[in-house]
Each structure stands twice: as C-alpha cells, then as structure tokens.
Amino acid sequence: MVMGEPGREEYKIQSFDAETQQLLKTALKDPGAVDLEKVANVIVDHSLQDCVFSKEAGRMCYAIIQAESKQAGQSVFRRGLLNRLQQEYQAREQLRARSLQGWVCYVTFICNIFDYLRVNNMPMMALVNPVYDCLFRLAQPDSLSKEEEVDCLVLQLHRVGEQLEKMNRQRMDELFVLIRDGFLLPSGLSSLAQLLLLEIIEFRAAGWKTTPAAHKYYYSEVSE
C-alpha cells in the first residue's frame, strides 16, 4: 500500500498500523489537526526500526514541514524532529551498542533529513557536524570490520558527500584520511568492504561522480 493521490508524492507506510497511517495522512493534509510532536516521534521511532522507511522518511518530513508552514506559518514539527534527532545523536554510542541495525537506520535517517531539509535553499547548518560525526564513527576500525556499517558509510557518502564537502571541506578531507587508513588495515576488512571503500575513494577523487570504467569494474564485481 502506498499513500498519496494522483500527481502527488507517494509514501510507503504499509508497515504502520492503521491508526498511525491515519495520523500521517492527516499530518500531510491538515497538519494543524494533529499533535505534530507526536508525529515527529512516530517517524523517528519507526525509522530506527525500519531501514527501508528510514531511506525515504526525509521526503515525508519535508512534505509535513512544507504543509505546516503553508497552513500556519509555524515549525512545530521541524522543532520536534530536530530535538528528537539531537537526543538520539547524543546517545549514539549506546544505540550502536544496543542495536547495530538501529544505529545504521539512524545514520541513514539523519543523512536523509540532511538531504531533504533546506533553509533558504541551503542544507541545515545545524545538521552538518552531527552528520559528519556519524560518518566519522562509521570510519573507525571497529566499524569498518562490519559490512553493514561500511555499506552504510559508502551509501551515505554517495548520497550527501558532495553537499557535506561544500559545507565543510576540511572535515571531509579528515574523513577520507580515516577511510584510506581503514582501507589499508592489514586485517579485519572483508573483500567486499575493501571494494566498497576503494570505490568511494575513487568516486570522490572523480568529483563525486562514477566514471564509466569505474562503474563497469565495481558493479560487475559486486553483482558477482
């Protein structure tokens, strides 16, 4: 089941119960009629449990923010969302220790929010360092030994790396020093993790683009 109307954005909300689906539908159409702080918490909670949803939750959050701004000129939902993101960010080590999947979902979600939310057509400055900190954590040796975290790191850099670099190039340089050091680790890295790290190093070196030769090399390797 997808939610939406012809000509409008659609959102996959089949994993929510019927009551929550109704809450989200109302938040998108008539945000003033629901508790938007509750909506923010519902979306974050679900994103931490469902990595498929966390990949597209940013789109839904952006639509609710736009709807609320248009209807009432307020930002209750955005404030609630950012407060909750900050709470989870501050407890990120505990989250990672408790649930690797929850941690990967959180990083996916915060990068998705960074990708979609704009202030004056620019990414939100308040999210730049938290996103960087999450990616730096994924580039530590103990994370690089886990394919789920390597996969998450590379996917998020494909998605928001270029935008992040424009906001703070020095931190991106430092992150790639870690990634290169990780790639050269004598042990602990699977062959797939090495391949993914090499691909993202070359992707950035080519100006955040995949050259035809690189695409042929990496993606034929991964599919095999």
Side-chain angles (χ1 to χ4, degrees):
M1 171 190 162
V2 292
M3 183 179 86
E5 296 170 6
R8 295 187 60 163
E9 293 279 8
E10 293 190 336
Y11 306 93
K12 297 176 181 67
I13 59 164
Q14 67 270 33
S15 51
F16 290 96
D17 60 51
E19 185 183 343
T20 306
Q21 288 187 28
Q22 191 55 49
L23 179 74
L24 295 174
K25 287 178 185 177
T26 307
L28 284 155
K29 289 180 181 174
D30 184 12
V34 292
D35 178 346
L36 290 171
E37 205 161 316
K38 180 183 178 183
V39 173
N41 282 318
V42 162
I43 290 174
V44 176
D45 285 340
H46 205 73
S47 293
L48 295 182
Q49 295 164 15
D50 182 346
C51 278
V52 174
F53 179 73
S54 72
K55 288 176 186 172
E56 68 159 39
R59 211 158 48 90
M60 180 182 285
C61 291
Y62 176 73
I64 295 171
I65 288 167
Q66 293 293 98
E68 184 192 9
S69 176
K70 191 174 177 182
Q71 186 184 63
Q74 292 184 314
S75 54
V76 173
F77 176 77
R78 187 174 77 174
R79 192 163 58 247
L81 177 68
L82 293 176
N83 284 344
R84 183 64 197 283
L85 277 173
Q86 185 179 26
Q87 286 171 21
E88 298 297 338
Y89 164 76
Q90 288 168 343
R92 61 194 180 281
E93 282 297 337
Q94 295 95 306
L95 173 62
R96 183 178 178 271
R98 190 170 67 247
S99 165
L100 197 64
Q101 184 195 343
W103 158 241
V104 165
C105 286
Y106 174 73
V107 178
T108 303
F109 181 64
I110 195 172
C111 289
N112 200 266
I113 295 295
F114 173 76
D115 193 25
Y116 274 99
L117 265 56
R118 289 283 182 273
V119 177
N120 300 325
N121 215 27
M122 290 285 289
M124 291 190 69
M125 282 301 298
L127 291 175
V128 173
N129 281 324
V131 168
Y132 263 123
D133 290 344
C134 289
L135 298 181
F136 268 75
R137 183 64 187 87
L138 290 173
Q140 298 301 318
D142 61 331
S143 290
L144 294 177
S145 67
K146 297 180 172 66
E147 280 185 2
E148 308 100 296
E149 290 186 278
V150 176
D151 192 50
C152 181
L153 172 64
V154 170
L155 281 172
Q156 302 322 314
L157 282 169
H158 269 277
R159 178 169 199 142
V160 299
E162 189 172 9
Q163 291 181 66
L164 272 176
E165 184 169 72
K166 286 174 183 170
M167 306 302 281
N168 188 332
R169 186 182 176 92
Q170 184 183 342
R171 288 207 76 185
M172 188 61 75
D173 288 340
E174 291 166 1
L175 177 61
F176 270 79
V177 168
L178 275 181
I179 291 172
R180 280 193 294 273
D181 287 350
F183 175 72
L184 297 170
L185 279 174
S187 62
L189 241 64
S190 70
S191 55
L192 177 60
Q194 284 185 312
L195 193 73
L196 289 168
L197 293 180
L198 184 58
E199 189 272 336
I200 199 66
I201 290 167
E202 292 196 1
F203 183 72
R204 184 194 181 209
W208 300 102
K209 293 180 178 68
T210 302
T211 63
H215 188 276
K216 185 178 178 185
Y217 174 74
Y218 291 110
Y219 292 98
S220 64
E221 289 279 327
V222 170
S223 64
E224 285 164 16

